[in-house]
mmCIF file with all atom_site columns, all heavy atoms in Angstrom:
data_model
loop_
_atom_site.group_PDB
_atom_site.id
_atom_site.type_symbol
_atom_site.label_atom_id
_atom_site.label_alt_id
_atom_site.label_comp_id
_atom_site.label_asym_id
_atom_site.label_entity_id
_atom_site.label_seq_id
_atom_site.pdbx_PDB_ins_code
_atom_site.Cartn_x
_atom_site.Cartn_y
_atom_site.Cartn_z
_atom_site.occupancy
_atom_site.B_iso_or_equiv
_atom_site.pdbx_formal_charge
_atom_site.auth_seq_id
_atom_site.auth_comp_id
_atom_site.auth_asym_id
_atom_site.auth_atom_id
_atom_site.pdbx_PDB_model_num
ATOM 1   N N   . PRO A 1 4   ? -64.498 -142.626 185.510 1.00 0.00 ? 4   PRO A N   1
ATOM 2   C CA  . PRO A 1 4   ? -64.842 -141.654 184.390 1.00 0.00 ? 4   PRO A CA  1
ATOM 3   C C   . PRO A 1 4   ? -65.660 -142.336 183.366 1.00 0.00 ? 4   PRO A C   1
ATOM 4   O O   . PRO A 1 4   ? -66.460 -141.664 182.659 1.00 0.00 ? 4   PRO A O   1
ATOM 5   C CB  . PRO A 1 4   ? -63.510 -141.246 183.918 1.00 0.00 ? 4   PRO A CB  1
ATOM 6   C CG  . PRO A 1 4   ? -62.624 -141.414 185.080 1.00 0.00 ? 4   PRO A CG  1
ATOM 7   C CD  . PRO A 1 4   ? -63.074 -142.540 185.824 1.00 0.00 ? 4   PRO A CD  1
ATOM 8   N N   . HIS A 1 13  ? -76.323 -139.253 183.148 1.00 0.00 ? 13  HIS A N   1
ATOM 9   C CA  . HIS A 1 13  ? -75.785 -139.593 181.897 1.00 0.00 ? 13  HIS A CA  1
ATOM 10  C C   . HIS A 1 13  ? -74.499 -140.359 182.039 1.00 0.00 ? 13  HIS A C   1
ATOM 11  O O   . HIS A 1 13  ? -73.930 -140.486 183.079 1.00 0.00 ? 13  HIS A O   1
ATOM 12  C CB  . HIS A 1 13  ? -75.480 -138.293 181.019 1.00 0.00 ? 13  HIS A CB  1
ATOM 13  C CG  . HIS A 1 13  ? -74.304 -137.605 181.586 1.00 0.00 ? 13  HIS A CG  1
ATOM 14  N ND1 . HIS A 1 13  ? -74.261 -136.911 182.776 1.00 0.00 ? 13  HIS A ND1 1
ATOM 15  C CD2 . HIS A 1 13  ? -73.042 -137.468 181.053 1.00 0.00 ? 13  HIS A CD2 1
ATOM 16  C CE1 . HIS A 1 13  ? -73.074 -136.323 182.922 1.00 0.00 ? 13  HIS A CE1 1
ATOM 17  N NE2 . HIS A 1 13  ? -72.256 -136.677 181.873 1.00 0.00 ? 13  HIS A NE2 1
ATOM 18  N N   . GLN A 1 29  ? -47.408 -133.939 188.460 1.00 0.00 ? 29  GLN A N   1
ATOM 19  C CA  . GLN A 1 29  ? -46.502 -134.269 189.503 1.00 0.00 ? 29  GLN A CA  1
ATOM 20  C C   . GLN A 1 29  ? -44.969 -134.116 189.086 1.00 0.00 ? 29  GLN A C   1
ATOM 21  O O   . GLN A 1 29  ? -44.170 -133.487 189.750 1.00 0.00 ? 29  GLN A O   1
ATOM 22  C CB  . GLN A 1 29  ? -46.712 -135.623 190.055 1.00 0.00 ? 29  GLN A CB  1
ATOM 23  C CG  . GLN A 1 29  ? -47.953 -135.745 190.918 1.00 0.00 ? 29  GLN A CG  1
ATOM 24  C CD  . GLN A 1 29  ? -48.324 -137.176 191.135 1.00 0.00 ? 29  GLN A CD  1
ATOM 25  O OE1 . GLN A 1 29  ? -47.644 -138.090 190.736 1.00 0.00 ? 29  GLN A OE1 1
ATOM 26  N NE2 . GLN A 1 29  ? -49.453 -137.435 191.912 1.00 0.00 ? 29  GLN A NE2 1
ATOM 27  N N   . PHE A 1 85  ? -61.080 -119.117 202.156 1.00 0.00 ? 85  PHE A N   1
ATOM 28  C CA  . PHE A 1 85  ? -60.903 -119.725 200.842 1.00 0.00 ? 85  PHE A CA  1
ATOM 29  C C   . PHE A 1 85  ? -60.671 -121.248 200.930 1.00 0.00 ? 85  PHE A C   1
ATOM 30  O O   . PHE A 1 85  ? -59.736 -121.605 201.771 1.00 0.00 ? 85  PHE A O   1
ATOM 31  C CB  . PHE A 1 85  ? -59.660 -119.069 200.129 1.00 0.00 ? 85  PHE A CB  1
ATOM 32  C CG  . PHE A 1 85  ? -59.903 -118.899 198.723 1.00 0.00 ? 85  PHE A CG  1
ATOM 33  C CD1 . PHE A 1 85  ? -60.848 -118.126 198.178 1.00 0.00 ? 85  PHE A CD1 1
ATOM 34  C CD2 . PHE A 1 85  ? -58.934 -119.506 197.794 1.00 0.00 ? 85  PHE A CD2 1
ATOM 35  C CE1 . PHE A 1 85  ? -61.000 -117.922 196.829 1.00 0.00 ? 85  PHE A CE1 1
ATOM 36  C CE2 . PHE A 1 85  ? -59.034 -119.291 196.433 1.00 0.00 ? 85  PHE A CE2 1
ATOM 37  C CZ  . PHE A 1 85  ? -60.091 -118.506 195.877 1.00 0.00 ? 85  PHE A CZ  1
ATOM 38  N N   . ASN A 1 90  ? -53.474 -126.978 196.571 1.00 0.00 ? 90  ASN A N   1
ATOM 39  C CA  . ASN A 1 90  ? -52.544 -125.763 196.741 1.00 0.00 ? 90  ASN A CA  1
ATOM 40  C C   . ASN A 1 90  ? -51.192 -126.121 196.934 1.00 0.00 ? 90  ASN A C   1
ATOM 41  O O   . ASN A 1 90  ? -50.927 -127.017 197.716 1.00 0.00 ? 90  ASN A O   1
ATOM 42  C CB  . ASN A 1 90  ? -53.212 -124.905 197.782 1.00 0.00 ? 90  ASN A CB  1
ATOM 43  C CG  . ASN A 1 90  ? -52.289 -123.713 197.979 1.00 0.00 ? 90  ASN A CG  1
ATOM 44  O OD1 . ASN A 1 90  ? -52.009 -122.988 197.032 1.00 0.00 ? 90  ASN A OD1 1
ATOM 45  N ND2 . ASN A 1 90  ? -51.929 -123.467 199.186 1.00 0.00 ? 90  ASN A ND2 1
ATOM 46  N N   . ARG A 1 92  ? -48.786 -123.089 196.763 1.00 0.00 ? 92  ARG A N   1
ATOM 47  C CA  . ARG A 1 92  ? -48.197 -121.844 196.982 1.00 0.00 ? 92  ARG A CA  1
ATOM 48  C C   . ARG A 1 92  ? -48.913 -121.117 198.038 1.00 0.00 ? 92  ARG A C   1
ATOM 49  O O   . ARG A 1 92  ? -50.153 -120.951 197.996 1.00 0.00 ? 92  ARG A O   1
ATOM 50  C CB  . ARG A 1 92  ? -48.154 -121.027 195.612 1.00 0.00 ? 92  ARG A CB  1
ATOM 51  C CG  . ARG A 1 92  ? -47.577 -119.679 195.740 1.00 0.00 ? 92  ARG A CG  1
ATOM 52  C CD  . ARG A 1 92  ? -47.742 -118.843 194.561 1.00 0.00 ? 92  ARG A CD  1
ATOM 53  N NE  . ARG A 1 92  ? -47.072 -119.318 193.408 1.00 0.00 ? 92  ARG A NE  1
ATOM 54  C CZ  . ARG A 1 92  ? -47.257 -118.891 192.152 1.00 0.00 ? 92  ARG A CZ  1
ATOM 55  N NH1 . ARG A 1 92  ? -48.139 -117.993 191.923 1.00 0.00 ? 92  ARG A NH1 1
ATOM 56  N NH2 . ARG A 1 92  ? -46.643 -119.422 191.104 1.00 0.00 ? 92  ARG A NH2 1
ATOM 57  N N   . GLU A 1 105 ? -61.285 -133.101 190.702 1.00 0.00 ? 105 GLU A N   1
ATOM 58  C CA  . GLU A 1 105 ? -62.271 -132.105 190.234 1.00 0.00 ? 105 GLU A CA  1
ATOM 59  C C   . GLU A 1 105 ? -63.506 -132.695 189.786 1.00 0.00 ? 105 GLU A C   1
ATOM 60  O O   . GLU A 1 105 ? -64.580 -131.984 189.723 1.00 0.00 ? 105 GLU A O   1
ATOM 61  C CB  . GLU A 1 105 ? -61.650 -131.269 189.171 1.00 0.00 ? 105 GLU A CB  1
ATOM 62  C CG  . GLU A 1 105 ? -60.386 -130.379 189.470 1.00 0.00 ? 105 GLU A CG  1
ATOM 63  C CD  . GLU A 1 105 ? -59.139 -131.177 189.108 1.00 0.00 ? 105 GLU A CD  1
ATOM 64  O OE1 . GLU A 1 105 ? -59.097 -132.447 189.121 1.00 0.00 ? 105 GLU A OE1 1
ATOM 65  O OE2 . GLU A 1 105 ? -58.173 -130.552 188.729 1.00 0.00 ? 105 GLU A OE2 1
ATOM 66  N N   . ILE A 1 137 ? -70.546 -128.277 190.669 1.00 0.00 ? 137 ILE A N   1
ATOM 67  C CA  . ILE A 1 137 ? -70.156 -126.954 191.002 1.00 0.00 ? 137 ILE A CA  1
ATOM 68  C C   . ILE A 1 137 ? -71.542 -126.150 191.348 1.00 0.00 ? 137 ILE A C   1
ATOM 69  O O   . ILE A 1 137 ? -71.595 -125.413 192.256 1.00 0.00 ? 137 ILE A O   1
ATOM 70  C CB  . ILE A 1 137 ? -69.379 -126.184 189.861 1.00 0.00 ? 137 ILE A CB  1
ATOM 71  C CG1 . ILE A 1 137 ? -67.991 -126.761 189.806 1.00 0.00 ? 137 ILE A CG1 1
ATOM 72  C CG2 . ILE A 1 137 ? -69.383 -124.680 190.166 1.00 0.00 ? 137 ILE A CG2 1
ATOM 73  C CD1 . ILE A 1 137 ? -67.156 -126.235 188.626 1.00 0.00 ? 137 ILE A CD1 1
ATOM 74  N N   . MET A 1 151 ? -61.025 -121.653 181.096 1.00 0.00 ? 151 MET A N   1
ATOM 75  C CA  . MET A 1 151 ? -60.603 -122.891 180.595 1.00 0.00 ? 151 MET A CA  1
ATOM 76  C C   . MET A 1 151 ? -59.994 -122.749 179.203 1.00 0.00 ? 151 MET A C   1
ATOM 77  O O   . MET A 1 151 ? -60.384 -121.682 178.488 1.00 0.00 ? 151 MET A O   1
ATOM 78  C CB  . MET A 1 151 ? -61.612 -123.906 180.578 1.00 0.00 ? 151 MET A CB  1
ATOM 79  C CG  . MET A 1 151 ? -62.750 -123.692 179.761 1.00 0.00 ? 151 MET A CG  1
ATOM 80  S SD  . MET A 1 151 ? -64.062 -124.980 179.929 1.00 0.00 ? 151 MET A SD  1
ATOM 81  C CE  . MET A 1 151 ? -63.156 -126.411 179.267 1.00 0.00 ? 151 MET A CE  1
ATOM 82  N N   . LEU A 1 169 ? -48.337 -136.112 157.732 1.00 0.00 ? 169 LEU A N   1
ATOM 83  C CA  . LEU A 1 169 ? -48.840 -136.478 156.379 1.00 0.00 ? 169 LEU A CA  1
ATOM 84  C C   . LEU A 1 169 ? -47.660 -136.586 155.363 1.00 0.00 ? 169 LEU A C   1
ATOM 85  O O   . LEU A 1 169 ? -47.617 -137.537 154.604 1.00 0.00 ? 169 LEU A O   1
ATOM 86  C CB  . LEU A 1 169 ? -49.794 -135.389 155.936 1.00 0.00 ? 169 LEU A CB  1
ATOM 87  C CG  . LEU A 1 169 ? -51.297 -135.500 156.504 1.00 0.00 ? 169 LEU A CG  1
ATOM 88  C CD1 . LEU A 1 169 ? -52.150 -134.315 156.139 1.00 0.00 ? 169 LEU A CD1 1
ATOM 89  C CD2 . LEU A 1 169 ? -51.934 -136.818 156.064 1.00 0.00 ? 169 LEU A CD2 1
ATOM 90  N N   . GLU A 1 172 ? -45.076 -139.569 157.044 1.00 0.00 ? 172 GLU A N   1
ATOM 91  C CA  . GLU A 1 172 ? -45.606 -140.857 157.415 1.00 0.00 ? 172 GLU A CA  1
ATOM 92  C C   . GLU A 1 172 ? -46.908 -141.292 156.766 1.00 0.00 ? 172 GLU A C   1
ATOM 93  O O   . GLU A 1 172 ? -47.401 -142.407 156.986 1.00 0.00 ? 172 GLU A O   1
ATOM 94  C CB  . GLU A 1 172 ? -45.854 -140.955 158.908 1.00 0.00 ? 172 GLU A CB  1
ATOM 95  C CG  . GLU A 1 172 ? -44.605 -140.509 159.740 1.00 0.00 ? 172 GLU A CG  1
ATOM 96  C CD  . GLU A 1 172 ? -44.798 -140.526 161.255 1.00 0.00 ? 172 GLU A CD  1
ATOM 97  O OE1 . GLU A 1 172 ? -45.743 -141.305 161.734 1.00 0.00 ? 172 GLU A OE1 1
ATOM 98  O OE2 . GLU A 1 172 ? -44.110 -139.749 161.913 1.00 0.00 ? 172 GLU A OE2 1
ATOM 99  N N   . ILE A 1 179 ? -52.544 -132.850 169.967 1.00 0.00 ? 179 ILE A N   1
ATOM 100 C CA  . ILE A 1 179 ? -53.030 -131.855 170.800 1.00 0.00 ? 179 ILE A CA  1
ATOM 101 C C   . ILE A 1 179 ? -54.350 -132.302 171.364 1.00 0.00 ? 179 ILE A C   1
ATOM 102 O O   . ILE A 1 179 ? -55.192 -132.798 170.647 1.00 0.00 ? 179 ILE A O   1
ATOM 103 C CB  . ILE A 1 179 ? -53.203 -130.530 170.000 1.00 0.00 ? 179 ILE A CB  1
ATOM 104 C CG1 . ILE A 1 179 ? -51.958 -130.205 169.250 1.00 0.00 ? 179 ILE A CG1 1
ATOM 105 C CG2 . ILE A 1 179 ? -53.549 -129.407 171.019 1.00 0.00 ? 179 ILE A CG2 1
ATOM 106 C CD1 . ILE A 1 179 ? -50.740 -129.935 170.122 1.00 0.00 ? 179 ILE A CD1 1
ATOM 107 N N   . SER A 1 180 ? -54.497 -132.153 172.720 1.00 0.00 ? 180 SER A N   1
ATOM 108 C CA  . SER A 1 180 ? -55.771 -132.695 173.293 1.00 0.00 ? 180 SER A CA  1
ATOM 109 C C   . SER A 1 180 ? -56.945 -131.906 172.680 1.00 0.00 ? 180 SER A C   1
ATOM 110 O O   . SER A 1 180 ? -56.889 -130.737 172.511 1.00 0.00 ? 180 SER A O   1
ATOM 111 C CB  . SER A 1 180 ? -55.721 -132.489 174.801 1.00 0.00 ? 180 SER A CB  1
ATOM 112 O OG  . SER A 1 180 ? -54.739 -133.434 175.345 1.00 0.00 ? 180 SER A OG  1
ATOM 113 N N   . GLY A 1 196 ? -77.779 -125.724 185.039 1.00 0.00 ? 196 GLY A N   1
ATOM 114 C CA  . GLY A 1 196 ? -78.748 -125.014 185.887 1.00 0.00 ? 196 GLY A CA  1
ATOM 115 C C   . GLY A 1 196 ? -78.356 -123.647 186.071 1.00 0.00 ? 196 GLY A C   1
ATOM 116 O O   . GLY A 1 196 ? -79.234 -122.884 186.672 1.00 0.00 ? 196 GLY A O   1
ATOM 117 N N   . VAL A 1 202 ? -70.208 -115.500 178.651 1.00 0.00 ? 202 VAL A N   1
ATOM 118 C CA  . VAL A 1 202 ? -69.113 -116.250 178.162 1.00 0.00 ? 202 VAL A CA  1
ATOM 119 C C   . VAL A 1 202 ? -68.228 -115.432 177.167 1.00 0.00 ? 202 VAL A C   1
ATOM 120 O O   . VAL A 1 202 ? -68.923 -114.757 176.377 1.00 0.00 ? 202 VAL A O   1
ATOM 121 C CB  . VAL A 1 202 ? -69.552 -117.442 177.384 1.00 0.00 ? 202 VAL A CB  1
ATOM 122 C CG1 . VAL A 1 202 ? -68.352 -118.286 176.755 1.00 0.00 ? 202 VAL A CG1 1
ATOM 123 C CG2 . VAL A 1 202 ? -70.299 -118.441 178.350 1.00 0.00 ? 202 VAL A CG2 1
ATOM 124 N N   . GLN A 1 208 ? -51.144 -114.722 173.167 1.00 0.00 ? 208 GLN A N   1
ATOM 125 C CA  . GLN A 1 208 ? -50.183 -115.224 172.178 1.00 0.00 ? 208 GLN A CA  1
ATOM 126 C C   . GLN A 1 208 ? -48.724 -115.006 172.762 1.00 0.00 ? 208 GLN A C   1
ATOM 127 O O   . GLN A 1 208 ? -48.444 -113.937 173.271 1.00 0.00 ? 208 GLN A O   1
ATOM 128 C CB  . GLN A 1 208 ? -50.276 -114.448 170.964 1.00 0.00 ? 208 GLN A CB  1
ATOM 129 C CG  . GLN A 1 208 ? -49.355 -115.077 169.747 1.00 0.00 ? 208 GLN A CG  1
ATOM 130 C CD  . GLN A 1 208 ? -49.733 -114.475 168.452 1.00 0.00 ? 208 GLN A CD  1
ATOM 131 O OE1 . GLN A 1 208 ? -49.133 -113.488 168.021 1.00 0.00 ? 208 GLN A OE1 1
ATOM 132 N NE2 . GLN A 1 208 ? -50.692 -115.079 167.641 1.00 0.00 ? 208 GLN A NE2 1
ATOM 133 N N   . VAL A 1 209 ? -47.972 -116.201 172.802 1.00 0.00 ? 209 VAL A N   1
ATOM 134 C CA  . VAL A 1 209 ? -46.732 -116.104 173.471 1.00 0.00 ? 209 VAL A CA  1
ATOM 135 C C   . VAL A 1 209 ? -45.711 -116.471 172.328 1.00 0.00 ? 209 VAL A C   1
ATOM 136 O O   . VAL A 1 209 ? -45.949 -117.432 171.524 1.00 0.00 ? 209 VAL A O   1
ATOM 137 C CB  . VAL A 1 209 ? -46.553 -117.182 174.542 1.00 0.00 ? 209 VAL A CB  1
ATOM 138 C CG1 . VAL A 1 209 ? -45.214 -117.162 175.148 1.00 0.00 ? 209 VAL A CG1 1
ATOM 139 C CG2 . VAL A 1 209 ? -47.707 -116.976 175.614 1.00 0.00 ? 209 VAL A CG2 1
ATOM 140 N N   . ASP A 1 220 ? -42.131 -126.167 176.946 1.00 0.00 ? 220 ASP A N   1
ATOM 141 C CA  . ASP A 1 220 ? -42.877 -125.384 177.971 1.00 0.00 ? 220 ASP A CA  1
ATOM 142 C C   . ASP A 1 220 ? -44.201 -126.086 178.312 1.00 0.00 ? 220 ASP A C   1
ATOM 143 O O   . ASP A 1 220 ? -44.638 -126.019 179.399 1.00 0.00 ? 220 ASP A O   1
ATOM 144 C CB  . ASP A 1 220 ? -43.082 -123.937 177.414 1.00 0.00 ? 220 ASP A CB  1
ATOM 145 C CG  . ASP A 1 220 ? -42.003 -122.968 177.835 1.00 0.00 ? 220 ASP A CG  1
ATOM 146 O OD1 . ASP A 1 220 ? -40.829 -123.559 177.985 1.00 0.00 ? 220 ASP A OD1 1
ATOM 147 O OD2 . ASP A 1 220 ? -42.211 -121.865 178.003 1.00 0.00 ? 220 ASP A OD2 1
ATOM 148 N N   . ARG A 1 233 ? -53.816 -140.636 172.139 1.00 0.00 ? 233 ARG A N   1
ATOM 149 C CA  . ARG A 1 233 ? -52.624 -140.055 171.824 1.00 0.00 ? 233 ARG A CA  1
ATOM 150 C C   . ARG A 1 233 ? -51.580 -140.933 171.240 1.00 0.00 ? 233 ARG A C   1
ATOM 151 O O   . ARG A 1 233 ? -51.495 -142.088 171.497 1.00 0.00 ? 233 ARG A O   1
ATOM 152 C CB  . ARG A 1 233 ? -51.956 -139.281 172.964 1.00 0.00 ? 233 ARG A CB  1
ATOM 153 C CG  . ARG A 1 233 ? -51.417 -140.259 174.074 1.00 0.00 ? 233 ARG A CG  1
ATOM 154 C CD  . ARG A 1 233 ? -51.073 -139.430 175.358 1.00 0.00 ? 233 ARG A CD  1
ATOM 155 N NE  . ARG A 1 233 ? -50.517 -140.391 176.338 1.00 0.00 ? 233 ARG A NE  1
ATOM 156 C CZ  . ARG A 1 233 ? -51.284 -141.138 177.143 1.00 0.00 ? 233 ARG A CZ  1
ATOM 157 N NH1 . ARG A 1 233 ? -52.575 -141.025 177.173 1.00 0.00 ? 233 ARG A NH1 1
ATOM 158 N NH2 . ARG A 1 233 ? -50.681 -141.887 178.113 1.00 0.00 ? 233 ARG A NH2 1
ATOM 159 N N   . HIS A 1 238 ? -41.556 -139.381 165.542 1.00 0.00 ? 238 HIS A N   1
ATOM 160 C CA  . HIS A 1 238 ? -40.254 -139.671 164.941 1.00 0.00 ? 238 HIS A CA  1
ATOM 161 C C   . HIS A 1 238 ? -39.432 -138.405 164.761 1.00 0.00 ? 238 HIS A C   1
ATOM 162 O O   . HIS A 1 238 ? -40.050 -137.278 164.556 1.00 0.00 ? 238 HIS A O   1
ATOM 163 C CB  . HIS A 1 238 ? -40.486 -140.366 163.518 1.00 0.00 ? 238 HIS A CB  1
ATOM 164 C CG  . HIS A 1 238 ? -41.210 -141.687 163.554 1.00 0.00 ? 238 HIS A CG  1
ATOM 165 N ND1 . HIS A 1 238 ? -40.569 -142.712 164.102 1.00 0.00 ? 238 HIS A ND1 1
ATOM 166 C CD2 . HIS A 1 238 ? -42.407 -142.037 163.166 1.00 0.00 ? 238 HIS A CD2 1
ATOM 167 C CE1 . HIS A 1 238 ? -41.345 -143.779 164.030 1.00 0.00 ? 238 HIS A CE1 1
ATOM 168 N NE2 . HIS A 1 238 ? -42.439 -143.361 163.466 1.00 0.00 ? 238 HIS A NE2 1
ATOM 169 N N   . GLU A 1 256 ? -40.998 -112.024 162.068 1.00 0.00 ? 256 GLU A N   1
ATOM 170 C CA  . GLU A 1 256 ? -39.826 -111.432 161.294 1.00 0.00 ? 256 GLU A CA  1
ATOM 171 C C   . GLU A 1 256 ? -38.546 -111.669 162.085 1.00 0.00 ? 256 GLU A C   1
ATOM 172 O O   . GLU A 1 256 ? -37.501 -111.665 161.472 1.00 0.00 ? 256 GLU A O   1
ATOM 173 C CB  . GLU A 1 256 ? -40.187 -109.926 161.082 1.00 0.00 ? 256 GLU A CB  1
ATOM 174 C CG  . GLU A 1 256 ? -41.204 -109.760 160.048 1.00 0.00 ? 256 GLU A CG  1
ATOM 175 C CD  . GLU A 1 256 ? -41.490 -108.202 159.725 1.00 0.00 ? 256 GLU A CD  1
ATOM 176 O OE1 . GLU A 1 256 ? -40.657 -107.438 160.389 1.00 0.00 ? 256 GLU A OE1 1
ATOM 177 O OE2 . GLU A 1 256 ? -42.278 -107.893 158.940 1.00 0.00 ? 256 GLU A OE2 1
ATOM 178 N N   . THR A 1 263 ? -50.648 -119.661 170.203 1.00 0.00 ? 263 THR A N   1
ATOM 179 C CA  . THR A 1 263 ? -51.827 -118.970 170.575 1.00 0.00 ? 263 THR A CA  1
ATOM 180 C C   . THR A 1 263 ? -52.638 -119.807 171.605 1.00 0.00 ? 263 THR A C   1
ATOM 181 O O   . THR A 1 263 ? -52.925 -121.030 171.351 1.00 0.00 ? 263 THR A O   1
ATOM 182 C CB  . THR A 1 263 ? -52.718 -118.725 169.384 1.00 0.00 ? 263 THR A CB  1
ATOM 183 O OG1 . THR A 1 263 ? -52.031 -117.804 168.481 1.00 0.00 ? 263 THR A OG1 1
ATOM 184 C CG2 . THR A 1 263 ? -54.038 -117.998 169.829 1.00 0.00 ? 263 THR A CG2 1
#
Side-chain angles (χ1 to χ4, degrees):
H13 73 290
Q29 288 168 0
F85 213 62
N90 177 51
R92 180 190 292 169
E105 299 99 326
I137 290 172
M151 64 184 295
L169 281 171
E172 303 177 32
I179 310 298
S180 293
V202 177
Q208 192 170 86
V209 183
D220 270 29
R233 67 188 182 277
H238 297 292
E256 292 183 358
T263 301

